[in-house]
Amino acid sequence: MSIIEKVRKGNTSSGIAALGNAFLAGIKGIAAAFSGNGSMFASSMHSLADAVNQGFVFFGSVLAEFPPSKRFPSGFGRVINIFCMVAVIVVTVMAYETILKGWHLFQDPEESDGLLLNFIVLLASLIIDGLILFKAMREIRSESKTDESSNVITVAFKNVKKASPATRLVFYEDLVATSGALLAMVGIVLSQFFGILQADGLISMLIGCLMLFVAFRVGYDNMIGLIGVSAPAEVQDKLTTILLDHEDVVDIHRIRIVQEGRLYHVEGTVELKKGLSLAKADDIKFELSDTLLRQSEVADVLLGIIEDDGEKSREEKGKQRNIPKTDE
């Protein structure tokens, strides 16, 4: 696979978001410099943080697509988690600066001008961030394998945990970005039309707190991703059902399905019918492994085989099927 093909396989939401937010950070920064408005400054800092983060994340998503090598036999799936953690640090620093600026403006409010310029810039931000957010929502629907006819907004909020780390970061950041643009508009209206100058600093601090929420949410998700987290229940059900549907598989002795990035690593032992020859059992093992590897979400499979031990798994599922024992 060429470098260009690897770049194309990178997370498109984060790539588009990085470009869009870089543009927004520039025009918001210019507007904040001319008007002296604290809400606009907070919004520009947020867009700058988003642009840097999403650029990092896009680069990480490209590296995560590199195949396993002799030196790195487990592949590069968790690289994206590392880049997302770097993005969390950037967001946290920007959030601190935004809250600090807001606090100063709240204690010592200043009049600002450039009302029309600020509103035009914030309207552009609302449109661009809204489109990026909608794109991330569609990515979540696609990555969660949800019906394309379902409501994209509802599906995005319900299934965001099933999306890749890069898509989750874009979703959270641009959800806050669109909210931040609306809040900044409210701050400008309150300070310039109603004379409540402290509103400018208050809104700035609120936007900073929303950025801290994003940092915490994304940081937590990627921390458990770096440690290694079990696959969602529906993914485990799907993959274990594939194994149990084979006519010669009696039970699953043990299984572990670990998520790395947006892919899953499967390791387990299946119990086969008694009396099978070694050659036949070996053929079944390779057949099962090949079937799992054909699933788009599976990165690699390591299966062992044993003869039926006559014992049932701890719980039952569906039509008297057994839920396999999972490694804690």
Side-chain angles (χ1 to χ4, degrees):
M1 186 185 294
S2 68
I3 295 295
I4 294 177
E5 288 174 331
K6 288 187 176 72
V7 170
R8 287 176 179 170
K9 276 183 163 273
N11 185 270
T12 54
S13 289
S14 58
I16 293 171
L19 296 174
N21 280 296
F23 171 73
L24 289 176
I27 62 172
K28 286 179 183 178
I30 292 170
F34 275 100
S35 66
N37 186 268
S39 298
M40 181 61 74
F41 172 80
S43 189
S44 67
M45 290 292 280
H46 188 190
S47 293
L48 179 60
D50 286 354
V52 173
N53 292 345
Q54 289 153 357
F56 268 121
V57 170
F58 176 73
F59 184 60
S61 70
V62 172
L63 289 179
E65 293 296 326
F66 278 63
S69 63
K70 287 184 178 180
R71 187 176 181 185
F72 303 103
S74 296
F76 298 85
R78 297 190 191 187
V79 167
I80 185 62
N81 297 105
I82 297 172
F83 277 82
C84 284
M85 291 301 286
V86 173
V88 166
I89 296 171
V90 174
V91 173
T92 303
V93 172
M94 295 291 190
Y96 169 76
E97 292 293 335
T98 302
I99 293 171
L100 187 63
K101 173 73 172 179
W103 178 245
H104 287 157
L105 286 172
F106 183 77
Q107 288 186 310
D108 186 18
E110 302 172 0
E111 287 191 21
S112 60
D113 49 22
L115 175 65
L116 181 60
L117 174 63
N118 286 336
F119 260 92
I120 290 174
V121 170
L122 287 172
L123 183 60
S125 172
L126 198 61
I127 293 170
I128 293 172
D129 281 324
L131 290 173
I132 294 170
L133 179 61
F134 184 72
K135 166 70 174 169
M137 287 179 172
R138 292 185 64 183
E139 291 272 348
I140 291 171
R141 185 172 65 180
S142 174
E143 291 175 6
S144 62
K145 307 286 193 273
T146 308
D147 184 9
E148 292 291 323
S149 62
S150 54
N151 184 280
V152 67
I153 297 174
T154 305
V155 167
F157 279 96
K158 287 176 64 176
N159 297 284
V160 62
K161 290 185 178 180
K162 300 177 186 176
S164 66
T167 303
R168 285 201 303 270
L169 182 137
V170 174
F171 172 77
Y172 285 129
E173 287 199 335
D174 278 277
L175 182 62
V176 172
T178 51
S179 304
L182 288 171
L183 286 172
M185 286 181 173
V186 171
I188 290 171
V189 170
L190 290 175
S191 62
Q192 297 201 12
F193 283 100
F194 294 93
I196 308 174
L197 299 182
Q198 288 88 351
D200 198 17
L202 190 63
I203 294 295
S204 297
M205 288 189 287
L206 185 55
I207 292 173
C209 290
L210 288 174
M211 293 167 70
L212 284 178
F213 164 75
V214 170
F216 172 78
R217 180 72 260 180
V218 175
Y220 174 78
D221 286 346
N222 286 279
M223 179 183 68
I224 62 175
L226 283 170
I227 295 170
V229 63
S230 295
E234 56 270 23
V235 174
Q236 296 204 33
D237 288 345
K238 175 185 175 181
L239 299 181
T240 53
T241 298
I242 290 172
L243 295 173
L244 291 167
D245 278 343
H246 194 284
E247 59 182 359
D248 291 314
V249 174
V250 177
D251 197 3
I252 299 179
H253 183 69
R254 57 175 290 277
I255 193 165
R256 182 174 63 178
I257 306 174
V258 178
Q259 182 173 0
E260 287 193 0
R262 61 184 179 85
L263 299 176
Y264 301 94
H265 298 268
V266 183
E267 179 185 344
T269 305
V270 297
E271 298 178 19
L272 304 180
K273 290 178 179 177
K274 292 183 178 182
L276 296 175
S277 68
L278 181 59
K280 174 66 174 174
D282 211 34
D283 288 342
I284 294 170
K285 182 181 77 170
F286 284 113
E287 181 184 341
L288 292 171
S289 297
D290 184 61
T291 302
L292 291 178
L293 284 169
R294 280 196 238 112
Q295 309 305 308
S296 60
E297 63 266 56
V298 175
D300 61 60
V301 177
L302 180 62
L303 278 184
I305 51 172
I306 61 172
E307 195 172 58
D308 179 22
D309 61 7
E311 295 182 4
K312 296 288 186 181
S313 295
R314 289 172 291 182
E315 301 178 46
E316 293 191 348
K317 165 191 165 189
K319 300 176 181 179
Q320 302 302 317
R321 281 198 180 277
N322 297 319
I323 288 182
K325 300 168 186 173
T326 56
D327 291 348
E328 299 295 339

